[in-house]
Amino acid sequence: ISFLTTRTQCATIDDWSKLERVLRYLNNTPDQCITLSASPDDFRVLAYVDASYGMHADGKSHTGLCISLGTGPVFARSAKQHIVT
């Protein structure tokens, strides 16, 4: 979804099919949701980070981050990196 938000100015047919896939998934899984809960036995902060090297046309990479507290995410971010390494 984060990638699709970067494609609003110059969207392609491929971008449109990706958006339709996301919408189909959301329409077919209304019972699934994100919940935030924690018990004293499992109250921890977890962070997940990933990057894709050189995936954009200009050679820049993309990084994603998700932080969870207990059993649910409290912060998520995905962004194109500023420099080519």
Side-chain angles (χ1 to χ4, degrees), residues 27-53:
N27 284 329
N28 293 327
T29 57
D31 57 324
Q32 296 187 17
C33 60
I34 297 173
T35 58
L36 180 61
S37 65
S39 67
D41 299 331
D42 190 25
F43 190 74
R44 58 187 172 171
V45 176
L46 296 173
Y48 303 93
V49 179
D50 192 20
S52 295
Y53 179 75

Side-chain angles (χ1 to χ4, degrees), residues 13 26 30 36-37 52 63-64 67 70-71 73:
I13 300 285
L26 292 173
L36 180 61
S37 65
S52 295
T63 302
I67 299 175
T71 61

Side-chain angles (χ1 to χ4, degrees), residues 6-85:
T6 66
R7 308 294 293 176
T8 58
Q9 295 293 323
C10 300
T12 64
I13 300 285
D14 188 47
D15 296 330
W16 182 255
S17 69
K18 290 175 185 176
L19 175 61
E20 287 177 327
R21 182 177 178 190
V22 169
L23 293 175
R24 273 194 310 272
Y25 173 79
L26 292 173
N27 284 329
N28 293 327
T29 57
D31 57 324
Q32 296 187 17
C33 60
I34 297 173
T35 58
L36 180 61
S37 65
S39 67
D41 299 331
D42 190 25
F43 190 74
R44 58 187 172 171
V45 176
L46 296 173
Y48 303 93
V49 179
D50 192 20
S52 295
Y53 179 75
M55 71 169 290
H56 293 283
D58 59 3
K60 294 182 180 177
S61 301
H62 205 94
T63 302
L65 163 71
C66 179
I67 299 175
S68 65
L69 176 62
T71 61
V74 293
F75 177 81
R77 180 168 188 230
S78 177
K80 184 177 182 181
Q81 294 180 358
H82 297 287
I83 60 172
V84 177
T85 55

